[in-house]
Every structure is written in C-alpha cells, then in structure tokens.
Amino acid sequence: MSVARFCSLMLACLLLHCCAFCQVASVEGTLLYSTREEIPLKDSAGLFSIEEIKIVGNRITRDNIIHRELSFALHQQLPLNDLANELTESRKRLMNTGLFLDVVVTLSSLRGYEAYVTIELRERWYVYPVPFLKMVDRNFGQWVKEKDMDFNRVNYGIKFTHKNTTGRRDRSTLNFMHGYTKAVSFSYQGLFLDKAMKWSAGMGVAIGHNKELIYNTERNKQMAYKDNNDFVHSYFRGYAEVNYRPAIFTTHTFGFRYSQERIADTILAINPAYSFNNNRIRQPELYYNMAYFNVDFIPYPTKGFIANVLVQKKGFQRPLNMWQLNVKTSASWPLSEKSFFNLRTAGTVKLPFKQPYVNKSLIGNSDMFMQGYEYFVVDGVAGGYTKATLAHRLFSTNIGIPSERFRRLNHIPFKAYAKIFGNAGYVYNPQPGDNMLANRMLYSGGVGVDIITFYDFIIKLEWSFNQIGQNGLNLHRKDYF
C-alpha cells in the first residue's frame, strides 16, 4: 500500500468519525433540553408532576452529585410511560458513575397527578489502601513465556486511592512504587469550579527512575538495555487540566502536560534515533480530549456508543515538534436478550512523519492492541484497526457471602459471556527496518470467555490466532480498545 493511498484512507476514516461526532453532539443537545429543563406544556391532561425525589443510602455521596446525573428534575411534568422510561435511564446513568454497587430508582407513590420518586443506593468502598504487584511487561503471557516469570521485572508497592474523596465524585491517588521502577506519584481529579458542576479541574505529578529502558524495536520485539549498577532512565511528569461537562454524556478536557526525561549516553550510542541524539528529553504538551459515553454499562458495554477524540501538540520547536490525532469509537447493538454485537475502531496520525523512536509507539502500547498479536509491537506514525465481537451471555447470577459487618459482600454480581472476534489493522512506518508487521495488513481472530464480577472486575480468557501462523491462550484484565 502506497503512502498516498494510506493517507487517503485515513482521511476518509477521520471524516466518517467527524460525521458521527456531529450526530452525537446534536443528539445530546436534544437530550439536555428534554431531560434537564422543565419544558413548557400547553395541555397538562394525563401528565404527572414529580413532587419529590427522595434519596436514601448515600452516606458519602452528596445529593447534588446524584441529581446531576438524573434524566428528570423536580416538578417536571411527564406522561406516566415516559416517567417509567426516565427512571430506567436514570438508574443506568447513576451506575455508570462508578460510585455505586447497585441503584434502585422507583415510583414510590402516586397521589392524583403527583409522583413521588425514591432512589435507593448501595455505595461502594471508596478507599483502597492496598499493596500491589504488577509485571512491567505488556501482558501476563509475555512475562511468563518470554521473560520466564522474572520477578526483577515486577513493580510492587502500596497504592492509596479514594474514589469519592469529598463526596463530589472526586478521585485522589497516591502511589509508592518499588522494584523494576522506583517512583512516587500523586493525582487528583474532580475539583468543581462552578455551582452548576459543569467545570472541574485536575492535576497530577510523578517522579521516578529505573535501571532498564526500551531503546529500540527489532523484528517487532522491544529491545531493552539494562545497567545493574546505575539508573539509565529518570523522569519527571506533571499535568494540569480543566474539564467541561455541559450535559451527561460528553466531557471536554483542556490540559497542559510537561515531561522531562534523562537517559544514559549508552542509549544514544546504540540507537542515535531514540530522541534525535539528545539525552535530555523535554516535552511540553497541550492537549484537548473529547469523551462521549452513552452505554448501558461503561466497564462492559452491551448497548450504546462510545467515542473519544484526542488532539495533542508535543514540543514547540525542533527537533521534538509533533501534532498527534487519536480517534476511538465503540458501538454495541443488542441482538437478543442475551446476545450483542460490538464494533470498535481506533486510529492515530502523527505529523510530521519523521519522528524519533520515543514518539513512534503505536499498536502494542498503552490501550491499543490487536488480539492475536499480544507478543508483538508495531511502531509507526499512522495506523489503526477495527475489532468485531459477537458475544452471548452464558449466565448471570449473584453470589452472597453472609456478613453483617460487610453488607456489600451479600450481593456480588457474576456474569459470563462466550464470544467470537476478528481484528484487522494497518500501521505505516517510513523506516520499518526489519519489523515485518509494519506497512502490511494485519488480521487475527479467535474465541473467548469474558467474566464480569465484583467492583467491575473483568477477566478475559481468549484463544486467538493470527496470519503469521501463531495461536494460543491469552489472559486480559482490562477492556482495551
């Protein structure tokens, strides 16, 4: 495939994404007016006025945070059928905040044409002072098969997380990490800046160093340099951002990020293209992110649409000077009560195409990966893929652990889905070297089982195969794009 043809295909995909986003924006504008505002009515016959919204069970979460998510408002007038639909919609929105184990929204009573609504909540555990143990390799299979379960390639420490710090859906984290990487990090999200709770702010800092660094990719495998006596990579990263959430489904984020890294001279000696022959890498960055979520359950959607657009400007003068555009979408359609079809797309363009190695990561890094290629990375400056999944629910039940002290354990959801999937993708790299997976179409497929349980904990067991003749069982913890 020529560069010109590839760029044309990427442009066409981006135009299709833009059309979808315009449609989403118009739909959400309608939803905001019809569910958040009291609509003037000429004929009130058969309309029920919501006279009370009673909230119970929220020991930490503030009432105004709950009201912010509802699709109806106090004194709003609705036909009875529409009111029933709004109760169902409001439950979905409250569950998608991630603040509650369970939500029950009911019409508690009717007095003539006056409606009284009750919202019963079961809050999660919001504070997690827990130790962690995590391998640094991209997935569990790679750590077992390629690194022989080397515990020197493991990070461990303690993580303090509060997912509802002040009861306003704000999140704070403090991590102390040791092992492969020695680091300390802190972040805070959800400081509201206005009474309408449309504007909020967040910030974070991280500092650390390690004795090993990925310096190149050969045959689609990452190559690492390690010094047992000294640190080869040190970094400081910080960001500050402002979020604007005018309605329920869409959030706009405007932010500034700064990173400063120092690498050993040996890295540049073995790969001068790592960072344009500079062992001090400073990257100021401006970014804008638009996130749209309108699904039944964010951690594992079976119905609805997700879209994400990220525009970044890294560096403001040569040699590190890059524009980057990331677009991701996910659409799920129910086929029956137990089955659904999901289609996901992801695409990236980095301009100009001439970039150092440190800015070429693409498939196999972060949350972008193709099933069947878990043991490979495909670096490049432009590319993307499509994933199709057909899933059927095997069972849905609840597991109860009798406990008066920990009542949250009395009702643990447990679901399992069987699925078949297929992937197709392409990555353009102007200097591929011996990386055979770049500049060619990639295909993969397979079958698997997804397990969803307590606290949105998801386990994915997948048997996948790819076009280069490999197959095997893979374990995934997150719902990657």
Side-chain angles (χ1 to χ4, degrees), residues 136-139 214 217 220 222 328 348 350 357-370 373-374 376-380 385 480-481:
V136 299
D137 298 293
R138 295 188 314 280
N139 54 69
I214 304 297
T217 302
N220 296 107
Q222 292 179 327
K328 300 175 183 178
T348 297
K350 303 176 183 182
Y357 175 78
V358 70
N359 284 343
K360 282 187 176 181
S361 62
L362 215 149
I363 292 180
N365 293 279
S366 186
D367 64 343
M368 291 188 65
F369 90 108
M370 289 180 62
Y373 293 91
E374 284 86 351
F376 300 97
V377 295
V378 189
D379 298 327
Y385 53 76
Y480 295 103
F481 258 94

PDB file of all heavy atoms in Angstrom, residues 136-139 214 217 220 222 328 348 350 357-370 373-374 376-380 385 480-481:
ATOM      1  N   VAL A 136       5.968  -5.534  34.547  1.00  0.00           N
ATOM      2  CA  VAL A 136       6.152  -4.363  33.688  1.00  0.00           C
ATOM      3  C   VAL A 136       5.951  -4.704  32.217  1.00  0.00           C
ATOM      4  O   VAL A 136       5.833  -3.802  31.390  1.00  0.00           O
ATOM      5  CB  VAL A 136       7.560  -3.753  33.890  1.00  0.00           C
ATOM      6  CG1 VAL A 136       7.727  -3.295  35.315  1.00  0.00           C
ATOM      7  CG2 VAL A 136       8.653  -4.746  33.510  1.00  0.00           C
ATOM      8  N   ASP A 137       5.911  -5.979  31.892  1.00  0.00           N
ATOM      9  CA  ASP A 137       5.708  -6.369  30.503  1.00  0.00           C
ATOM     10  C   ASP A 137       4.274  -6.089  30.081  1.00  0.00           C
ATOM     11  O   ASP A 137       3.383  -5.898  30.906  1.00  0.00           O
ATOM     12  CB  ASP A 137       6.058  -7.844  30.321  1.00  0.00           C
ATOM     13  CG  ASP A 137       7.525  -8.114  30.648  1.00  0.00           C
ATOM     14  OD1 ASP A 137       8.394  -7.631  29.900  1.00  0.00           O
ATOM     15  OD2 ASP A 137       7.794  -8.784  31.662  1.00  0.00           O
ATOM     16  N   ARG A 138       4.024  -6.087  28.783  1.00  0.00           N
ATOM     17  CA  ARG A 138       2.751  -5.617  28.269  1.00  0.00           C
ATOM     18  C   ARG A 138       1.579  -6.495  28.684  1.00  0.00           C
ATOM     19  O   ARG A 138       0.464  -6.029  28.786  1.00  0.00           O
ATOM     20  CB  ARG A 138       2.812  -5.513  26.738  1.00  0.00           C
ATOM     21  CG  ARG A 138       3.794  -4.472  26.233  1.00  0.00           C
ATOM     22  CD  ARG A 138       3.677  -4.281  24.737  1.00  0.00           C
ATOM     23  NE  ARG A 138       3.618  -5.524  24.014  1.00  0.00           N
ATOM     24  CZ  ARG A 138       4.670  -6.275  23.719  1.00  0.00           C
ATOM     25  NH1 ARG A 138       5.867  -5.903  24.114  1.00  0.00           N
ATOM     26  NH2 ARG A 138       4.529  -7.392  23.040  1.00  0.00           N
ATOM     27  N   ASN A 139       1.818  -7.785  28.909  1.00  0.00           N
ATOM     28  CA  ASN A 139       0.751  -8.666  29.335  1.00  0.00           C
ATOM     29  C   ASN A 139       1.331  -9.844  30.108  1.00  0.00           C
ATOM     30  O   ASN A 139       2.542 -10.088  30.096  1.00  0.00           O
ATOM     31  CB  ASN A 139      -0.091  -9.155  28.139  1.00  0.00           C
ATOM     32  CG  ASN A 139       0.775  -9.793  27.051  1.00  0.00           C
ATOM     33  OD1 ASN A 139       1.333 -10.867  27.243  1.00  0.00           O
ATOM     34  ND2 ASN A 139       0.889  -9.114  25.909  1.00  0.00           N
ATOM     35  N   ILE A 214      13.579   0.517  27.309  1.00  0.00           N
ATOM     36  CA  ILE A 214      13.361   0.047  25.939  1.00  0.00           C
ATOM     37  C   ILE A 214      13.971   1.074  24.991  1.00  0.00           C
ATOM     38  O   ILE A 214      13.566   2.234  24.990  1.00  0.00           O
ATOM     39  CB  ILE A 214      11.860  -0.126  25.645  1.00  0.00           C
ATOM     40  CG1 ILE A 214      11.203  -1.081  26.659  1.00  0.00           C
ATOM     41  CG2 ILE A 214      11.643  -0.599  24.223  1.00  0.00           C
ATOM     42  CD1 ILE A 214      11.739  -2.483  26.616  1.00  0.00           C
ATOM     43  N   THR A 217      13.101  -1.314  18.598  1.00  0.00           N
ATOM     44  CA  THR A 217      12.247  -2.448  18.243  1.00  0.00           C
ATOM     45  C   THR A 217      12.871  -3.194  17.080  1.00  0.00           C
ATOM     46  O   THR A 217      13.180  -2.595  16.041  1.00  0.00           O
ATOM     47  CB  THR A 217      10.828  -1.983  17.857  1.00  0.00           C
ATOM     48  OG1 THR A 217      10.256  -1.265  18.944  1.00  0.00           O
ATOM     49  CG2 THR A 217       9.953  -3.170  17.516  1.00  0.00           C
ATOM     50  N   ASN A 220       9.772  -6.633  15.471  1.00  0.00           N
ATOM     51  CA  ASN A 220       8.542  -6.350  16.218  1.00  0.00           C
ATOM     52  C   ASN A 220       8.614  -6.812  17.678  1.00  0.00           C
ATOM     53  O   ASN A 220       7.592  -7.073  18.309  1.00  0.00           O
ATOM     54  CB  ASN A 220       7.330  -6.989  15.531  1.00  0.00           C
ATOM     55  CG  ASN A 220       7.086  -6.387  14.160  1.00  0.00           C
ATOM     56  OD1 ASN A 220       7.339  -7.030  13.141  1.00  0.00           O
ATOM     57  ND2 ASN A 220       6.625  -5.146  14.136  1.00  0.00           N
ATOM     58  N   GLN A 222      10.416  -5.556  21.433  1.00  0.00           N
ATOM     59  CA  GLN A 222      11.094  -4.448  22.089  1.00  0.00           C
ATOM     60  C   GLN A 222      12.431  -4.899  22.660  1.00  0.00           C
ATOM     61  O   GLN A 222      12.527  -5.947  23.297  1.00  0.00           O
ATOM     62  CB  GLN A 222      10.220  -3.874  23.208  1.00  0.00           C
ATOM     63  CG  GLN A 222       8.976  -3.171  22.702  1.00  0.00           C
ATOM     64  CD  GLN A 222       8.116  -2.628  23.819  1.00  0.00           C
ATOM     65  OE1 GLN A 222       8.052  -3.203  24.897  1.00  0.00           O
ATOM     66  NE2 GLN A 222       7.444  -1.512  23.576  1.00  0.00           N
ATOM     67  N   LYS A 328     -11.050   7.097  18.624  1.00  0.00           N
ATOM     68  CA  LYS A 328     -11.510   5.770  19.008  1.00  0.00           C
ATOM     69  C   LYS A 328     -13.033   5.770  19.095  1.00  0.00           C
ATOM     70  O   LYS A 328     -13.626   6.748  19.554  1.00  0.00           O
ATOM     71  CB  LYS A 328     -10.938   5.365  20.375  1.00  0.00           C
ATOM     72  CG  LYS A 328      -9.430   5.306  20.432  1.00  0.00           C
ATOM     73  CD  LYS A 328      -8.955   5.011  21.842  1.00  0.00           C
ATOM     74  CE  LYS A 328      -7.439   5.030  21.927  1.00  0.00           C
ATOM     75  NZ  LYS A 328      -6.976   4.797  23.327  1.00  0.00           N
ATOM     76  N   THR A 348      -4.646   6.532  14.594  1.00  0.00           N
ATOM     77  CA  THR A 348      -3.671   7.526  15.045  1.00  0.00           C
ATOM     78  C   THR A 348      -2.905   8.075  13.852  1.00  0.00           C
ATOM     79  O   THR A 348      -2.526   7.320  12.945  1.00  0.00           O
ATOM     80  CB  THR A 348      -2.671   6.908  16.048  1.00  0.00           C
ATOM     81  OG1 THR A 348      -3.368   6.484  17.209  1.00  0.00           O
ATOM     82  CG2 THR A 348      -1.612   7.920  16.461  1.00  0.00           C
ATOM     83  N   LYS A 350       0.454  10.908  13.334  1.00  0.00           N
ATOM     84  CA  LYS A 350       1.464  11.772  13.948  1.00  0.00           C
ATOM     85  C   LYS A 350       2.182  12.536  12.846  1.00  0.00           C
ATOM     86  O   LYS A 350       2.704  11.926  11.904  1.00  0.00           O
ATOM     87  CB  LYS A 350       2.471  10.931  14.746  1.00  0.00           C
ATOM     88  CG  LYS A 350       1.826  10.066  15.819  1.00  0.00           C
ATOM     89  CD  LYS A 350       2.841   9.176  16.524  1.00  0.00           C
ATOM     90  CE  LYS A 350       2.163   8.272  17.541  1.00  0.00           C
ATOM     91  NZ  LYS A 350       3.123   7.412  18.282  1.00  0.00           N
ATOM     92  N   TYR A 357      12.407   7.575  17.834  1.00  0.00           N
ATOM     93  CA  TYR A 357      11.851   6.305  18.294  1.00  0.00           C
ATOM     94  C   TYR A 357      10.909   6.493  19.471  1.00  0.00           C
ATOM     95  O   TYR A 357       9.870   5.830  19.564  1.00  0.00           O
ATOM     96  CB  TYR A 357      12.990   5.347  18.676  1.00  0.00           C
ATOM     97  CG  TYR A 357      12.489   4.059  19.282  1.00  0.00           C
ATOM     98  CD1 TYR A 357      11.974   3.045  18.473  1.00  0.00           C
ATOM     99  CD2 TYR A 357      12.522   3.851  20.665  1.00  0.00           C
ATOM    100  CE1 TYR A 357      11.500   1.873  19.022  1.00  0.00           C
ATOM    101  CE2 TYR A 357      12.046   2.671  21.223  1.00  0.00           C
ATOM    102  CZ  TYR A 357      11.536   1.688  20.398  1.00  0.00           C
ATOM    103  OH  TYR A 357      11.055   0.527  20.946  1.00  0.00           O
ATOM    104  N   VAL A 358      11.224   7.406  20.370  1.00  0.00           N
ATOM    105  CA  VAL A 358      10.421   7.575  21.579  1.00  0.00           C
ATOM    106  C   VAL A 358       8.992   8.025  21.270  1.00  0.00           C
ATOM    107  O   VAL A 358       8.084   7.840  22.074  1.00  0.00           O
ATOM    108  CB  VAL A 358      11.117   8.586  22.535  1.00  0.00           C
ATOM    109  CG1 VAL A 358      11.052   9.997  21.978  1.00  0.00           C
ATOM    110  CG2 VAL A 358      10.522   8.510  23.934  1.00  0.00           C
ATOM    111  N   ASN A 359       8.749   8.576  20.086  1.00  0.00           N
ATOM    112  CA  ASN A 359       7.414   9.050  19.700  1.00  0.00           C
ATOM    113  C   ASN A 359       6.742   8.166  18.654  1.00  0.00           C
ATOM    114  O   ASN A 359       5.767   8.580  18.023  1.00  0.00           O
ATOM    115  CB  ASN A 359       7.496  10.479  19.164  1.00  0.00           C
ATOM    116  CG  ASN A 359       7.659  11.499  20.273  1.00  0.00           C
ATOM    117  OD1 ASN A 359       7.412  11.215  21.438  1.00  0.00           O
ATOM    118  ND2 ASN A 359       8.103  12.692  19.922  1.00  0.00           N
ATOM    119  N   LYS A 360       7.234   6.946  18.443  1.00  0.00           N
ATOM    120  CA  LYS A 360       6.680   6.081  17.399  1.00  0.00           C
ATOM    121  C   LYS A 360       5.830   4.931  17.924  1.00  0.00           C
ATOM    122  O   LYS A 360       5.380   4.093  17.142  1.00  0.00           O
ATOM    123  CB  LYS A 360       7.818   5.501  16.548  1.00  0.00           C
ATOM    124  CG  LYS A 360       8.395   6.469  15.524  1.00  0.00           C
ATOM    125  CD  LYS A 360       9.376   5.753  14.619  1.00  0.00           C
ATOM    126  CE  LYS A 360       9.895   6.672  13.523  1.00  0.00           C
ATOM    127  NZ  LYS A 360      10.844   5.972  12.629  1.00  0.00           N
ATOM    128  N   SER A 361       5.602   4.873  19.219  1.00  0.00           N
ATOM    129  CA  SER A 361       4.829   3.746  19.746  1.00  0.00           C
ATOM    130  C   SER A 361       3.403   3.781  19.210  1.00  0.00           C
ATOM    131  O   SER A 361       2.781   4.831  19.134  1.00  0.00           O
ATOM    132  CB  SER A 361       4.827   3.789  21.272  1.00  0.00           C
ATOM    133  OG  SER A 361       4.217   4.968  21.732  1.00  0.00           O
ATOM    134  N   LEU A 362       2.885   2.598  18.859  1.00  0.00           N
ATOM    135  CA  LEU A 362       1.517   2.537  18.330  1.00  0.00           C
ATOM    136  C   LEU A 362       0.859   1.239  18.804  1.00  0.00           C
ATOM    137  O   LEU A 362       0.600   1.105  19.983  1.00  0.00           O
ATOM    138  CB  LEU A 362       1.523   2.681  16.802  1.00  0.00           C
ATOM    139  CG  LEU A 362       0.320   3.447  16.223  1.00  0.00           C
ATOM    140  CD1 LEU A 362       0.704   4.196  14.957  1.00  0.00           C
ATOM    141  CD2 LEU A 362      -0.834   2.534  15.939  1.00  0.00           C
ATOM    142  N   ILE A 363       0.660   0.255  17.949  1.00  0.00           N
ATOM    143  CA  ILE A 363      -0.022  -0.972  18.363  1.00  0.00           C
ATOM    144  C   ILE A 363       0.879  -1.790  19.287  1.00  0.00           C
ATOM    145  O   ILE A 363       2.049  -2.001  19.005  1.00  0.00           O
ATOM    146  CB  ILE A 363      -0.444  -1.797  17.137  1.00  0.00           C
ATOM    147  CG1 ILE A 363      -1.556  -1.071  16.361  1.00  0.00           C
ATOM    148  CG2 ILE A 363      -0.927  -3.182  17.553  1.00  0.00           C
ATOM    149  CD1 ILE A 363      -2.036  -1.812  15.143  1.00  0.00           C
ATOM    150  N   GLY A 364       0.296  -2.221  20.387  1.00  0.00           N
ATOM    151  CA  GLY A 364       1.056  -2.987  21.372  1.00  0.00           C
ATOM    152  C   GLY A 364       1.473  -2.156  22.558  1.00  0.00           C
ATOM    153  O   GLY A 364       2.091  -2.667  23.499  1.00  0.00           O
ATOM    154  N   ASN A 365       1.143  -0.871  22.549  1.00  0.00           N
ATOM    155  CA  ASN A 365       1.482   0.026  23.639  1.00  0.00           C
ATOM    156  C   ASN A 365       0.220   0.664  24.196  1.00  0.00           C
ATOM    157  O   ASN A 365      -0.757   0.878  23.477  1.00  0.00           O
ATOM    158  CB  ASN A 365       2.445   1.121  23.171  1.00  0.00           C
ATOM    159  CG  ASN A 365       3.805   0.572  22.795  1.00  0.00           C
ATOM    160  OD1 ASN A 365       4.656   0.326  23.635  1.00  0.00           O
ATOM    161  ND2 ASN A 365       4.011   0.362  21.501  1.00  0.00           N
ATOM    162  N   SER A 366       0.228   0.979  25.469  1.00  0.00           N
ATOM    163  CA  SER A 366      -0.896   1.614  26.140  1.00  0.00           C
ATOM    164  C   SER A 366      -2.136   0.737  25.974  1.00  0.00           C
ATOM    165  O   SER A 366      -2.079  -0.470  26.170  1.00  0.00           O
ATOM    166  CB  SER A 366      -1.114   3.034  25.593  1.00  0.00           C
ATOM    167  OG  SER A 366      -2.099   3.714  26.327  1.00  0.00           O
ATOM    168  N   ASP A 367      -3.279   1.338  25.590  1.00  0.00           N
ATOM    169  CA  ASP A 367      -4.511   0.555  25.475  1.00  0.00           C
ATOM    170  C   ASP A 367      -4.825   0.188  24.027  1.00  0.00           C
ATOM    171  O   ASP A 367      -5.924  -0.265  23.722  1.00  0.00           O
ATOM    172  CB  ASP A 367      -5.690   1.327  26.082  1.00  0.00           C
ATOM    173  CG  ASP A 367      -5.985   2.612  25.329  1.00  0.00           C
ATOM    174  OD1 ASP A 367      -5.120   3.064  24.562  1.00  0.00           O
ATOM    175  OD2 ASP A 367      -7.069   3.180  25.525  1.00  0.00           O
ATOM    176  N   MET A 368      -3.863   0.361  23.110  1.00  0.00           N
ATOM    177  CA  MET A 368      -4.066  -0.014  21.707  1.00  0.00           C
ATOM    178  C   MET A 368      -3.359  -1.341  21.434  1.00  0.00           C
ATOM    179  O   MET A 368      -2.134  -1.429  21.501  1.00  0.00           O
ATOM    180  CB  MET A 368      -3.546   1.073  20.768  1.00  0.00           C
ATOM    181  CG  MET A 368      -4.354   2.362  20.799  1.00  0.00           C
ATOM    182  SD  MET A 368      -3.853   3.546  19.526  1.00  0.00           S
ATOM    183  CE  MET A 368      -4.290   2.673  18.026  1.00  0.00           C
ATOM    184  N   PHE A 369      -4.150  -2.374  21.170  1.00  0.00           N
ATOM    185  CA  PHE A 369      -3.546  -3.658  20.832  1.00  0.00           C
ATOM    186  C   PHE A 369      -4.520  -4.454  19.981  1.00  0.00           C
ATOM    187  O   PHE A 369      -5.730  -4.189  19.970  1.00  0.00           O
ATOM    188  CB  PHE A 369      -3.172  -4.420  22.107  1.00  0.00           C
ATOM    189  CG  PHE A 369      -4.257  -5.311  22.627  1.00  0.00           C
ATOM    190  CD1 PHE A 369      -4.147  -6.687  22.517  1.00  0.00           C
ATOM    191  CD2 PHE A 369      -5.391  -4.785  23.222  1.00  0.00           C
ATOM    192  CE1 PHE A 369      -5.147  -7.525  22.994  1.00  0.00           C
ATOM    193  CE2 PHE A 369      -6.389  -5.611  23.704  1.00  0.00           C
ATOM    194  CZ  PHE A 369      -6.269  -6.987  23.584  1.00  0.00           C
ATOM    195  N   MET A 370      -3.972  -5.419  19.236  1.00  0.00           N
ATOM    196  CA  MET A 370      -4.781  -6.326  18.439  1.00  0.00           C
ATOM    197  C   MET A 370      -4.694  -7.717  19.042  1.00  0.00           C
ATOM    198  O   MET A 370      -3.604  -8.204  19.355  1.00  0.00           O
ATOM    199  CB  MET A 370      -4.303  -6.346  16.988  1.00  0.00           C
ATOM    200  CG  MET A 370      -4.610  -5.081  16.210  1.00  0.00           C
ATOM    201  SD  MET A 370      -4.020  -5.160  14.492  1.00  0.00           S
ATOM    202  CE  MET A 370      -4.985  -6.550  13.859  1.00  0.00           C
ATOM    203  N   TYR A 373      -1.860 -10.604  18.568  1.00  0.00           N
ATOM    204  CA  TYR A 373      -0.513 -10.022  18.431  1.00  0.00           C
ATOM    205  C   TYR A 373      -0.017  -9.516  19.786  1.00  0.00           C
ATOM    206  O   TYR A 373       0.715  -8.523  19.853  1.00  0.00           O
ATOM    207  CB  TYR A 373      -0.526  -8.881  17.411  1.00  0.00           C
ATOM    208  CG  TYR A 373      -0.802  -9.340  15.996  1.00  0.00           C
ATOM    209  CD1 TYR A 373      -2.097  -9.383  15.503  1.00  0.00           C
ATOM    210  CD2 TYR A 373       0.234  -9.751  15.167  1.00  0.00           C
ATOM    211  CE1 TYR A 373      -2.364  -9.827  14.221  1.00  0.00           C
ATOM    212  CE2 TYR A 373      -0.018 -10.182  13.879  1.00  0.00           C
ATOM    213  CZ  TYR A 373      -1.313 -10.219  13.417  1.00  0.00           C
ATOM    214  OH  TYR A 373      -1.566 -10.657  12.137  1.00  0.00           O
ATOM    215  N   GLU A 374      -0.392 -10.199  20.866  1.00  0.00           N
ATOM    216  CA  GLU A 374      -0.027  -9.754  22.210  1.00  0.00           C
ATOM    217  C   GLU A 374       1.472  -9.745  22.441  1.00  0.00           C
ATOM    218  O   GLU A 374       1.963  -9.002  23.294  1.00  0.00           O
ATOM    219  CB  GLU A 374      -0.693 -10.649  23.267  1.00  0.00           C
ATOM    220  CG  GLU A 374      -2.176 -10.366  23.470  1.00  0.00           C
ATOM    221  CD  GLU A 374      -3.071 -11.109  22.499  1.00  0.00           C
ATOM    222  OE1 GLU A 374      -2.532 -11.729  21.542  1.00  0.00           O
ATOM    223  OE2 GLU A 374      -4.303 -11.084  22.674  1.00  0.00           O
ATOM    224  N   PHE A 376       3.802  -8.894  20.265  1.00  0.00           N
ATOM    225  CA  PHE A 376       4.483  -8.029  19.300  1.00  0.00           C
ATOM    226  C   PHE A 376       4.114  -6.570  19.542  1.00  0.00           C
ATOM    227  O   PHE A 376       3.064  -6.270  20.113  1.00  0.00           O
ATOM    228  CB  PHE A 376       4.101  -8.409  17.861  1.00  0.00           C
ATOM    229  CG  PHE A 376       4.460  -9.819  17.473  1.00  0.00           C
ATOM    230  CD1 PHE A 376       3.507 -10.834  17.543  1.00  0.00           C
ATOM    231  CD2 PHE A 376       5.749 -10.131  17.050  1.00  0.00           C
ATOM    232  CE1 PHE A 376       3.821 -12.125  17.202  1.00  0.00           C
ATOM    233  CE2 PHE A 376       6.072 -11.435  16.700  1.00  0.00           C
ATOM    234  CZ  PHE A 376       5.116 -12.436  16.773  1.00  0.00           C
ATOM    235  N   VAL A 377       4.980  -5.679  19.071  1.00  0.00           N
ATOM    236  CA  VAL A 377       4.651  -4.264  18.973  1.00  0.00           C
ATOM    237  C   VAL A 377       4.840  -3.856  17.515  1.00  0.00           C
ATOM    238  O   VAL A 377       5.703  -4.385  16.811  1.00  0.00           O
ATOM    239  CB  VAL A 377       5.534  -3.384  19.887  1.00  0.00           C
ATOM    240  CG1 VAL A 377       5.268  -3.691  21.341  1.00  0.00           C
ATOM    241  CG2 VAL A 377       7.013  -3.556  19.565  1.00  0.00           C
ATOM    242  N   VAL A 378       4.011  -2.935  17.064  1.00  0.00           N
ATOM    243  CA  VAL A 378       4.102  -2.414  15.700  1.00  0.00           C
ATOM    244  C   VAL A 378       4.217  -0.904  15.808  1.00  0.00           C
ATOM    245  O   VAL A 378       3.227  -0.215  16.054  1.00  0.00           O
ATOM    246  CB  VAL A 378       2.884  -2.820  14.850  1.00  0.00           C
ATOM    247  CG1 VAL A 378       3.131  -2.452  13.382  1.00  0.00           C
ATOM    248  CG2 VAL A 378       2.586  -4.305  14.989  1.00  0.00           C
ATOM    249  N   ASP A 379       5.443  -0.384  15.665  1.00  0.00           N
ATOM    250  CA  ASP A 379       5.688   1.046  15.770  1.00  0.00           C
ATOM    251  C   ASP A 379       5.372   1.729  14.447  1.00  0.00           C
ATOM    252  O   ASP A 379       5.471   1.129  13.366  1.00  0.00           O
ATOM    253  CB  ASP A 379       7.153   1.319  16.134  1.00  0.00           C
ATOM    254  CG  ASP A 379       7.520   0.716  17.486  1.00  0.00           C
ATOM    255  OD1 ASP A 379       6.640   0.675  18.356  1.00  0.00           O
ATOM    256  OD2 ASP A 379       8.680   0.287  17.652  1.00  0.00           O
ATOM    257  N   GLY A 380       5.007   3.007  14.527  1.00  0.00           N
ATOM    258  CA  GLY A 380       4.737   3.756  13.316  1.00  0.00           C
ATOM    259  C   GLY A 380       4.249   5.155  13.626  1.00  0.00           C
ATOM    260  O   GLY A 380       4.155   5.566  14.781  1.00  0.00           O
ATOM    261  N   TYR A 385      -7.008   0.173  13.474  1.00  0.00           N
ATOM    262  CA  TYR A 385      -7.557  -1.162  13.338  1.00  0.00           C
ATOM    263  C   TYR A 385      -9.053  -1.138  13.642  1.00  0.00           C
ATOM    264  O   TYR A 385      -9.589  -0.171  14.188  1.00  0.00           O
ATOM    265  CB  TYR A 385      -6.854  -2.162  14.248  1.00  0.00           C
ATOM    266  CG  TYR A 385      -6.792  -1.763  15.699  1.00  0.00           C
ATOM    267  CD1 TYR A 385      -7.903  -1.855  16.539  1.00  0.00           C
ATOM    268  CD2 TYR A 385      -5.605  -1.275  16.252  1.00  0.00           C
ATOM    269  CE1 TYR A 385      -7.843  -1.491  17.863  1.00  0.00           C
ATOM    270  CE2 TYR A 385      -5.536  -0.906  17.578  1.00  0.00           C
ATOM    271  CZ  TYR A 385      -6.651  -1.016  18.384  1.00  0.00           C
ATOM    272  OH  TYR A 385      -6.583  -0.647  19.699  1.00  0.00           O
ATOM    273  N   TYR A 480      -9.593  -3.355  26.666  1.00  0.00           N
ATOM    274  CA  TYR A 480      -8.803  -2.465  25.819  1.00  0.00           C
ATOM    275  C   TYR A 480      -9.532  -2.139  24.517  1.00  0.00           C
ATOM    276  O   TYR A 480     -10.328  -2.913  24.031  1.00  0.00           O
ATOM    277  CB  TYR A 480      -7.456  -3.097  25.469  1.00  0.00           C
ATOM    278  CG  TYR A 480      -6.538  -3.311  26.643  1.00  0.00           C
ATOM    279  CD1 TYR A 480      -6.363  -4.568  27.194  1.00  0.00           C
ATOM    280  CD2 TYR A 480      -5.853  -2.246  27.205  1.00  0.00           C
ATOM    281  CE1 TYR A 480      -5.527  -4.768  28.266  1.00  0.00           C
ATOM    282  CE2 TYR A 480      -5.003  -2.432  28.281  1.00  0.00           C
ATOM    283  CZ  TYR A 480      -4.853  -3.693  28.804  1.00  0.00           C
ATOM    284  OH  TYR A 480      -4.030  -3.894  29.867  1.00  0.00           O
ATOM    285  N   PHE A 481      -9.147  -0.989  23.925  1.00  0.00           N
ATOM    286  CA  PHE A 481      -9.640  -0.652  22.599  1.00  0.00           C
ATOM    287  C   PHE A 481      -8.912  -1.491  21.550  1.00  0.00           C
ATOM    288  O   PHE A 481      -7.773  -1.830  21.708  1.00  0.00           O
ATOM    289  CB  PHE A 481      -9.422   0.831  22.312  1.00  0.00           C
ATOM    290  CG  PHE A 481     -10.697   1.623  22.474  1.00  0.00           C
ATOM    291  CD1 PHE A 481     -10.990   2.245  23.657  1.00  0.00           C
ATOM    292  CD2 PHE A 481     -11.593   1.705  21.435  1.00  0.00           C
ATOM    293  CE1 PHE A 481     -12.147   2.970  23.818  1.00  0.00           C
ATOM    294  CE2 PHE A 481     -12.759   2.442  21.569  1.00  0.00           C
ATOM    295  CZ  PHE A 481     -13.034   3.066  22.775  1.00  0.00           C
TER     296      PHE A 481
END
